[in-house]
Amino acid sequence: MKQTAPQPELGTFTKFPNQMKSDASFSLYDKFIYMHMLQRFVFFHSLGKQYYDNQSDIGESLGLTRQTVAKSTKTLEGRGLIKSEKVKTMTQTGLFSSYNYTVFDKYEIYKKKVSKTSSFGDDTDCSDLPF
């Protein structure tokens, strides 16, 4: 059974580290896919679940091709930002390939606790995440 994260509410945003934004060694696609995957990893981890996804679904949710996602995930894995394990599952419609992803918060955007006086009003404590 596919795990899906709820669609974000209007007014929510994805945290994006300035250090990665200015790193020209990553393509725009690498950055976009990494932030998407990190956000989903954090969401599923907060539910006590592992993060499973397939490259076609990632591409569909971001308006990218599966090939673009495959290329970027290979780059991200090579740079130590993600770890993937290919998983094959038998479903009613046949054999289905997916990946179990671990996404590392290299830039510590979810690790830090933001002060309650922050202009963003975000006091989420993500200290239990495995990074």
Side-chain angles (χ1 to χ4, degrees):
M1 185 167 160
K2 182 179 172 185
Q3 300 173 345
T4 58
Q7 291 298 313
E9 300 281 331
L10 288 176
T12 62
F13 58 94
T14 299
K15 296 178 180 183
F16 191 85
N18 289 327
Q19 184 181 1
M20 185 179 204
K21 183 175 70 174
S22 62
D23 188 341
S25 69
F26 288 106
S27 73
L28 179 59
Y29 297 128
D30 298 341
K31 296 171 186 180
F32 191 41
I33 291 167
Y34 172 70
M35 296 314 304
H36 170 81
M37 293 177 74
L38 179 60
Q39 185 177 30
R40 289 179 54 81
F41 176 80
V42 168
F43 170 78
F44 286 112
H45 181 78
S46 74
L47 299 176
K49 297 182 179 186
Q50 294 183 329
Y51 168 40
Y52 291 91
D53 219 337
N54 68 58
Q55 295 172 345
S56 295
D57 287 345
I58 293 170
E60 186 178 316
S61 69
L62 299 175
L64 303 172
T65 65
R66 188 203 56 78
Q67 292 83 358
T68 298
V69 174
K71 182 179 177 184
S72 286
T73 54
K74 185 175 181 178
T75 299
L76 294 170
E77 191 156 15
R79 299 282 299 273
L81 293 174
I82 67 171
K83 184 174 89 172
S84 66
E85 175 188 0
K86 193 168 189 173
V87 179
K88 294 187 179 194
T89 306
M90 183 59 81
T91 66
Q92 293 176 355
T93 58
L95 193 59
F96 178 75
S97 291
S98 186
Y99 290 87
N100 177 5
Y101 289 107
T102 301
V103 185
F104 302 102
D105 189 4
K106 176 183 175 184
Y107 303 98
E108 299 184 345
I109 60 174
Y110 288 97
K111 195 171 188 177
K112 296 177 183 174
K113 183 171 180 170
V114 179
S115 165
K116 288 187 179 188
T117 60
S118 164
S119 61
F120 298 108
D122 181 356
D123 63 349
T124 304
D125 181 4
C126 296
S127 60
D128 68 326
L129 291 172
F131 358 93

